[in-house]
Amino acid sequence: MKAEIITVGTELLMGTVLDSNSSYIARKLESLGIGTYFKQTVGDNPQRIQASLKTALDRSQLIIIAGGLGPTRDDITKEAVAAALGIDLMIDRAHLKEIETYFQERSRSMTALDQKQAHILANSKTFNNDNGLALGCAYKFPYLDRYSYIIILPGPPRELELMVDRYLLTYLKDEFNQQPVIQSKYIEIKPMGEAYLADKLDELIQNQTNPTIAIYAKPNKLQLRLTATADSQQTAEKLLADLSDQIENCLGVDQLLKEDETLEEMIIHKMTQEGITLGLAESLTGGLVSSSLTTVPGAGEVLVGGFVTYQTSSKYKYLGIDLDFINRYSVVSAEVAQAMAVNCQKKSQSDYGLSLTGVAGPDSLDGHPVGQVFIGLAQPDQQVLIKELNLGSQSRDKIRLLAKEEALKLLASVLK
């Protein structure tokens, strides 16, 4: 069974509205063992909607169309589908009565365009809209050497999602009750190079058949998606569990993030287990790193304290960095980041000292471009790691957020 999703709306093509419907539908189809092979997005144009539908019919058995069911003249999905199939639209009289009642109860006038929301494809199965007025429907018909299915759903996510959950899934289960189970499992991996992870899992990836493995880069972590196809959920879960064990053996359990564990949680938990403490000295981030770590319960066992040394003078006043030293190398430099980390480590009497200094913008500073950041990490053996970032001309908030994330990644990398 091949499924295809067509989302309708010029606003989707223009990027003014984010398409969350197709991902929601695809996840729900997967839970029934129905794979989504294609997705299309088309504007509110009858010819292009018809062309998209005809393309889909030649390659997919189940076609789900979302959007274009409202009461305006550019809501033309049902009309376009009916024209493409050469069938009529009909009015659901019971639902039309509900629409009339809706307007009467609100003392509002009903127009001829409002009646469109009671239209359905002739001889189709109707889906109620419990969060709106536009009906959905399912149309089953012979096409080529098989039966094909066209599902039409409203575009607003709160309407679509409820209609899918309450009516569409039940309909599909009744129609396709022998579908295999498709189940996925996600494994979160601590920060490392994507190519390095692929190399560590190369033998498993090269020999994959069922389940399959996919690698995704995520903020502050990597993610593995394992997908199994089986006759039952129990068998699929067993396949996924066996592959998970193989991955754990390849990487080591210490490289796996616990389910839904954030990078901040991993750092606090690891440092708590090891009895390690941390001091922070932040300039451009202004306390962002401290704030993110202290969202984790138990951070007080790890985080000794922090210095927000935003001004140059505060680096001297609170961290004891000589002003001549700062002027010699510049406040935005590897040397100053190192001094901040070391002095923070000493003054807070912590095992690690983490520092950040840089240019968040909007203007350059002392010849340093916007987005240049230096991160320092003083370790118990006095070796200091320095990481330079060149984040480019982005917004202040984005640069500060990226700097925070890179600082946490650097700290996490030495805790492995």
Side-chain angles (χ1 to χ4, degrees), residues 17-206:
V17 173
L18 182 67
D19 173 25
S20 62
N21 286 337
S22 58
S23 59
Y24 187 84
I25 295 168
R27 290 196 304 272
K28 293 297 183 176
L29 292 180
E30 184 183 22
S31 72
L32 299 181
I34 300 173
T36 300
Y37 283 70
F38 306 99
K39 293 181 184 179
Q40 299 186 63
T41 299
V42 62
D44 300 299
N45 177 280
Q47 289 75 32
R48 288 194 283 274
I49 294 173
Q50 292 177 46
S52 295
L53 177 57
K54 290 176 180 177
T55 297
L57 282 170
D58 288 337
R59 64 190 183 187
S60 304
Q61 186 179 359
L62 172 63
I63 301 160
I64 300 180
I65 306 173
L69 307 190
T72 64
R73 293 195 183 278
D74 64 349
D75 290 312
I76 52 173
T77 295
K78 289 176 182 175
E79 291 85 347
V81 171
L85 299 178
I87 61 175
D88 295 326
L89 289 175
M90 59 175 287
I91 293 179
D92 186 306
R93 295 294 175 183
H95 187 64
L96 180 59
K97 184 63 177 177
E98 292 178 7
I99 296 175
E100 292 171 347
T101 301
Y102 173 88
F103 281 95
Q104 290 170 1
E105 290 176 346
R106 290 159 178 78
S107 300
R108 291 165 53 189
S109 298
M110 179 176 168
T111 70
L113 288 174
D114 290 309
Q115 297 181 26
K116 291 177 53 176
Q117 298 176 102
H119 286 173
I120 58 172
L121 300 178
N123 301 314
S124 64
K125 168 72 175 179
T126 301
F127 298 144
N128 290 333
N129 188 336
D130 297 331
N131 268 340
L133 296 179
L135 287 175
C137 62
Y139 183 66
K140 176 182 178 181
F141 63 104
Y143 186 79
L144 300 178
D145 58 348
R146 64 175 188 267
Y147 273 102
S148 289
Y149 298 80
I150 294 178
I151 313 295
I152 301 178
L153 303 172
R158 67 186 298 270
E159 298 180 24
L160 177 142
E161 292 174 9
L162 192 60
M163 188 177 291
V164 167
D165 292 344
R166 288 187 176 175
Y167 304 111
L168 176 59
L169 295 183
T170 299
Y171 173 81
L172 294 177
K173 287 176 184 177
D174 291 341
E175 290 289 328
F176 313 117
N177 56 13
Q178 297 300 318
Q179 286 296 117
V181 172
I182 300 176
Q183 189 159 332
S184 294
K185 176 179 181 179
Y186 293 87
I187 300 176
E188 314 293 341
I189 309 295
K190 293 179 181 180
M192 65 176 67
E194 191 173 352
Y196 178 79
L197 175 60
D199 183 66
K200 294 284 286 184
L201 300 178
D202 186 64
E203 185 175 349
L204 291 177
I205 293 173
Q206 290 291 340

Side-chain angles (χ1 to χ4, degrees), residues 371-392:
Q372 186 176 41
V373 178
F374 291 92
I375 301 170
L377 180 62
Q379 303 178 83
D381 61 3
Q382 300 305 310
Q383 180 187 5
V384 181
L385 299 178
I386 299 295
K387 185 172 187 177
E388 180 180 358
L389 308 175
N390 289 285
L391 302 173

Side-chain angles (χ1 to χ4, degrees), residues 312-313 315-316 320-331 333 335-336 339:
T312 299
S313 60
K315 295 175 176 60
Y316 165 74
I321 304 174
D322 187 78
L323 291 177
D324 290 337
F325 178 87
I326 295 175
N327 291 331
R328 184 184 315 134
Y329 292 106
S330 172
V331 70
S333 64
E335 290 79 7
V336 169

Side-chain angles (χ1 to χ4, degrees), residues 311-385:
Q311 294 184 342
T312 299
S313 60
S314 66
K315 295 175 176 60
Y316 165 74
K317 183 176 180 180
Y318 299 112
L319 294 175
I321 304 174
D322 187 78
L323 291 177
D324 290 337
F325 178 87
I326 295 175
N327 291 331
R328 184 184 315 134
Y329 292 106
S330 172
V331 70
V332 181
S333 64
E335 290 79 7
V336 169
Q338 177 172 329
M340 290 172 65
V342 171
N343 288 20
C344 168
Q345 180 190 37
K346 291 178 180 178
K347 288 185 174 292
S348 64
Q349 298 182 353
S350 56
D351 296 304
Y352 287 85
L354 182 62
S355 70
L356 300 94
T357 183
V359 186
D363 301 317
S364 60
L365 178 66
D366 296 337
H368 296 279
V370 173
Q372 186 176 41
V373 178
F374 291 92
I375 301 170
L377 180 62
Q379 303 178 83
D381 61 3
Q382 300 305 310
Q383 180 187 5
V384 181
L385 299 178

